[in-house]
Amino acid sequence: MAEFPSKVSTRTSSPAQGAGASVSALRPDLGFVRSSLGALMLLQLLMIFNVGATVLYITAFITCSAAVELTSLKGTRQYNQRAAASFFACLVMIAYGVSAFFSFQAWRGVGSNAATSQMAGGYA
């Protein structure tokens, strides 16, 4: 234990006078974003966004579909507006769902099965 204090440096630094928060501290770390870990993190955020948007558009589709009054006549303005909103919500829900599926497939990676990746790597 006698040699412990001589190996430890306790020197501290103070910020420059009047520097405050510098602009360089607010810039994103592009090196991290370009790394494989950063790319996976961004892909996972996109996947979460797409899943959340899918759930919200499912809710919008159900709400718009349920809001059409059974007594309203087909071809009236109110009926057409609700039908158009339901149709649009359904299309966007499908698009976000497909995008979330492909984001999940990309996040999971090709050849994530241990048996197939071992076979491909062993005989290539």
Side-chain angles (χ1 to χ4, degrees):
M1 284 305 270
E3 71 275 355
F4 179 72
S6 64
K7 292 183 179 180
V8 177
S9 173
T10 58
R11 198 173 349 147
T12 59
S13 62
S14 60
Q17 292 287 339
S22 66
V23 176
S24 65
L26 299 176
R27 275 190 256 156
D29 184 13
L30 295 179
F32 175 72
V33 173
R34 290 179 184 142
S35 70
S36 60
L37 184 63
L40 286 174
M41 184 183 76
L42 288 176
L43 185 63
Q44 188 173 8
L45 287 175
L46 286 173
M47 183 178 63
I48 291 170
F49 171 77
N50 288 333
V51 169
T54 303
V55 170
L56 289 175
Y57 274 103
I58 287 172
T59 306
F61 172 67
I62 292 169
T63 304
C64 284
S65 299
V68 175
E69 296 175 11
L70 296 175
T71 58
S72 63
L73 298 173
K74 288 184 180 180
T76 61
R77 181 178 176 157
Q78 182 182 14
Y79 182 85
N80 289 339
Q81 287 176 345
R82 301 278 182 175
S86 298
F87 180 72
F88 178 73
C90 184
L91 285 180
V92 175
M93 171 194 65
I94 291 169
Y96 273 118
V98 168
S99 182
F101 173 75
F102 286 128
S103 294
F104 177 73
Q105 292 294 327
W107 176 71
R108 191 176 72 169
V110 179
S112 63
N113 186 354
T116 58
S117 63
Q118 291 295 323
M119 287 293 291
Y123 296 107

